[in-house]
Amino acid sequence: MEEKKSFLKQKIDLSSPNKNIVPITTAIGNDGKLSVGGCSIEELVKKYDSPLYILDETTLRNSCRAYKQALEKYYPGKSLPIYASKANSSIFMSNLVSSEGLGLDAVSEGELLTALKGGVPNEKIVFHGNNKSDKEIEFAVKNNIQVIVDNDYDLERLEELSNEFDRDIDIMIRFTPGIECHTHEYIRTGSFDSKFGFGIEYLNILFARINETKHLKLKGLHAHIGSQIFELEPHNDLGGIMINVILEAKKFGHNIQQLNVGGGLGIKYTENDTPPSIDEWVKTISRSVMEACKKHNLDLPILMCEPGRSIVSTAGITIYKIGAFKEIPGIRTYLSVDGGMSDNPRPITYQSNYSACLVSNPFNLDSKKKYTIAGKHCESGDVLFKEIELADCKTGDLICVFGTGAYNNSMSSNYNRIPRPAALLVCDGEAELIQKRESPFDLLKYDVLPDRFIKQN
Ligand SMILES: *Cc1c(COP(=O)(O)O)cnc(C)c1O
């Protein structure tokens, strides 16, 4: 029988972690068991319990450096990679990306606060969102955080604030470039029919409108065309389109100096995924901006990009403990784990696929069986894997799911009043807590029983 090569035996690309399924420090110990960052996963679960989120520091830093180095290599002008913090927002993540020289993008007061607490310098933070509150906009302006204007409502309020404070405010505008890319409908944002940004056909009106304000200075242009993108073509087109917009804005007297191309580079969740490397992606976007600038004799703008998933996803794994089995003869065997859609809502939301293995038998050495891995929530759709081949497993065994660093913890919920897992950082054989495990008591903290009900009982 032909042995299918386990994804764990594939050569690891150190310089572009998004091209691997596993964190780059993943190893199989002498005991045949899985380790990450030099830490035995079994030992970590003994100490910290399950489910457990784990982030590998080496993979995180390599991803940040890949963006910085590629920009320095391919783009002769100034540049700044900005971490899209919605992928995984925490004081730790803010601190880590900032220590690597990256900026950070935030879309709410909560993400802004987290960035500031994590030590990201105000001038390296950008503030996004299609429905910012008054309080959020004011907070950003007062803290000198650049606001990315998404719509007329943003513009009106920024104009009012700039008049009130009687000072100039630099703004960036977000527009939809009308680029289609092949990704899930919910995470596609660059086509005309999107809730984000100004339509490209509306920009001339907008440029004139900004000129009517006393204090708003249009300094930057932003577009983000989607997420988990494997093609280079859309970003190649984007550079040219954005330079055309800069030229158009010039006619209205606006001198746009910052060009922010958003994020979107995909990662390898399964063997079927073939994302380009960070290097190739940055090269494509840099070339397209440089060529368009050369053609139109334009100075190079400051180039910014906003990777989220490709910074943090591959660095993250989730460990679950197997509980109940249910065999439906001739149909399938359900294996239930101690987490599910509350710690990873992506499968139920986007039908996302992942790769996984048994911690104690990563290569599936013994007999292989097909399983359906179900979460513990009261929802038939709470299934993490429809069908996966694993070694024979039993109650109490641990399963490691790869590629969960992005949009898992940040999209998690307390559905069924299930507390959020703890999160650890691993590096060089040491594990450190970066998020405490919630307890069911924490979940009671915001419940209020009106007095008259207390008296009644
Ligand atoms: C989501 C988002 C990103 C990050 O996208 P990834 O696919 O995770 O790289 C960047 N910019 C904006 C405006 C976003 O909404």
Side-chain angles (χ1 to χ4, degrees):
M1 207 179 79
E2 202 181 323
E3 187 67 17
K4 202 172 141 235
K5 210 171 151 192
S6 163
F7 63 88
L8 284 159
K9 287 187 175 160
Q10 277 168 9
K11 196 167 176 294
I12 295 215
D13 185 332
L14 295 175
S15 64
S16 197
N18 71 314
K19 289 186 74 72
N20 309 313
I21 291 177
V22 305
I24 62 183
T25 62
T26 305
I28 314 292
N30 293 333
D31 55 359
K33 295 174 184 176
L34 195 69
S35 77
V36 173
C39 298
S40 152
I41 287 175
E42 223 173 66
E43 295 303 317
L44 295 181
V45 172
K46 270 185 202 152
K47 183 161 177 198
Y48 295 96
D49 210 354
S50 63
L52 189 59
Y53 291 128
I54 300 174
L55 283 179
D56 178 45
E57 185 172 341
T58 313
T59 306
L60 280 175
R61 292 199 186 275
N62 280 23
S63 304
C64 294
R65 287 169 197 174
Y67 274 101
K68 267 212 93 91
Q69 286 166 5
L71 279 166
E72 280 159 19
K73 183 162 137 201
Y74 297 113
Y75 195 73
K78 275 196 194 167
S79 61
L80 181 68
I82 295 173
Y83 169 60
S85 72
K86 71 174 193 265
N88 189 330
S89 170
S90 68
I91 291 179
F92 162 73
M93 276 305 297
S94 306
N95 193 280
L96 179 123
V97 297
S98 171
S99 76
E100 290 293 337
L102 272 63
L104 183 145
D105 105 36
V107 298
S108 67
E109 188 184 0
E111 284 183 1
L112 285 170
L113 208 58
T114 308
L116 292 170
K117 280 271 180 203
V120 185
N122 302 36
E123 68 276 9
K124 281 191 171 176
I125 301 176
V126 298
F127 182 41
H128 274 290
N130 65 305
N131 195 21
K132 306 168 182 85
S133 72
D134 292 347
K135 192 175 159 215
E136 286 171 331
I137 289 209
E138 200 169 323
F139 180 85
V141 169
K142 280 190 175 154
N143 286 284
N144 291 314
I145 290 165
Q146 195 174 22
V147 177
I148 305 206
V149 176
D150 200 88
N151 48 52
D152 287 322
Y153 185 42
D154 279 354
L155 198 72
E156 279 165 31
R157 290 175 298 168
L158 282 169
E159 185 179 12
E160 278 169 27
L161 284 174
S162 67
N163 291 338
E164 189 183 316
F165 300 149
D166 194 26
R167 70 167 170 93
D168 288 353
I169 296 179
D170 290 348
I171 58 168
M172 211 174 209
I173 55 167
R174 176 170 183 169
F175 78 107
T176 45
I179 292 176
E180 293 288 340
C181 47
H182 302 130
T183 186
H184 195 284
E185 193 181 342
Y186 298 163
I187 50 177
R188 196 195 294 152
T189 54
S191 58
F192 292 117
D193 184 7
S194 165
K195 73 168 179 172
F196 297 106
F198 293 95
I200 193 168
E201 70 287 352
Y202 179 76
L203 291 181
N204 283 354
I205 297 171
L206 179 64
F207 294 149
R209 163 86 179 83
I210 294 172
N211 276 337
E212 288 166 9
T213 69
K214 187 169 169 209
H215 288 298
L216 299 186
K217 305 292 163 206
L218 178 55
K219 285 292 159 64
L221 197 59
H222 173 277
H224 169 72
I225 57 181
S227 204
Q228 185 60 358
I229 302 170
F230 291 161
E231 311 149 284
L232 289 169
E233 197 62 24
H235 281 93
N236 188 42
D237 296 345
L238 184 60
I241 293 174
M242 292 185 85
I243 294 298
N244 283 340
V245 174
I246 290 186
L247 291 169
E248 205 54 38
K250 246 187 176 1
K251 295 181 189 162
F252 291 80
H254 298 296
N255 180 18
I256 295 183
Q257 298 148 10
Q258 303 167 321
L259 203 154
N260 183 334
V261 298
L265 175 61
I267 71 139
K268 190 175 179 74
Y269 285 105
T270 70
E271 307 267 20
N272 299 328
D273 297 333
T274 51
S277 68
I278 292 172
D279 189 89
E280 287 173 291
W281 189 85
V282 170
K283 182 172 154 187
T284 302
I285 191 75
S286 300
R287 295 257 156 105
S288 99
V289 171
M290 282 155 63
E291 271 167 29
C293 283
K294 197 170 164 201
K295 187 170 147 198
H296 298 287
N297 204 12
L298 212 66
D299 289 343
L300 288 181
I302 300 170
L303 181 60
M304 299 164 162
C305 60
E306 295 174 328
R309 191 190 309 271
S310 54
I311 294 280
V312 64
S313 214
T314 311
I317 58 177
T318 306
I319 314 300
Y320 301 100
K321 196 173 278 167
I322 301 174
F325 284 80
K326 175 182 177 181
E327 193 172 342
I328 308 175
I331 299 183
R332 65 177 73 249
T333 300
Y334 281 98
L335 159 178
S336 294
V337 295
D338 52 358
M341 61 183 284
S342 61
D343 61 79
N344 184 0
R346 292 187 68 254
I348 200 168
T349 315
Y350 310 118
Q351 294 81 49
S352 312
N353 295 308
Y354 286 89
S355 300
C357 71
L358 274 186
V359 170
S360 59
N361 190 353
F363 293 137
N364 299 344
L365 286 182
D366 316 322
S367 66
K368 276 178 216 159
K369 272 182 103 167
K370 285 190 172 147
Y371 295 98
T372 296
I373 303 185
K376 65 178 275 138
H377 301 82
C378 295
E379 193 76 40
S380 294
D382 179 28
V383 165
L384 293 174
F385 291 83
K386 288 224 170 75
E387 195 173 85
I388 185 168
E389 215 169 60
L390 293 173
D392 250 344
C393 41
K394 57 181 189 309
T395 299
D397 284 349
L398 301 177
I399 289 182
C400 174
V401 181
F402 294 95
T404 60
Y407 306 114
N408 275 233
N409 202 351
S410 63
M411 293 178 96
S412 65
S413 74
N414 290 123
Y415 180 45
N416 290 143
R417 291 246 149 167
I418 293 183
R420 283 184 178 77
L424 299 179
L425 177 71
V426 292
C427 188
D428 293 337
E430 300 286 333
E432 293 156 293
L433 200 60
I434 52 173
Q435 176 178 297
K436 290 185 219 168
R437 184 176 296 284
E438 277 177 348
S439 87
F441 294 98
D442 293 329
L443 308 184
L444 301 177
K445 254 190 334 210
Y446 295 99
D447 281 16
V448 178
L449 192 63
D451 277 349
R452 66 193 179 90
F453 288 80
I454 300 172
K455 282 176 203 134
Q456 230 172 41
N457 292 342

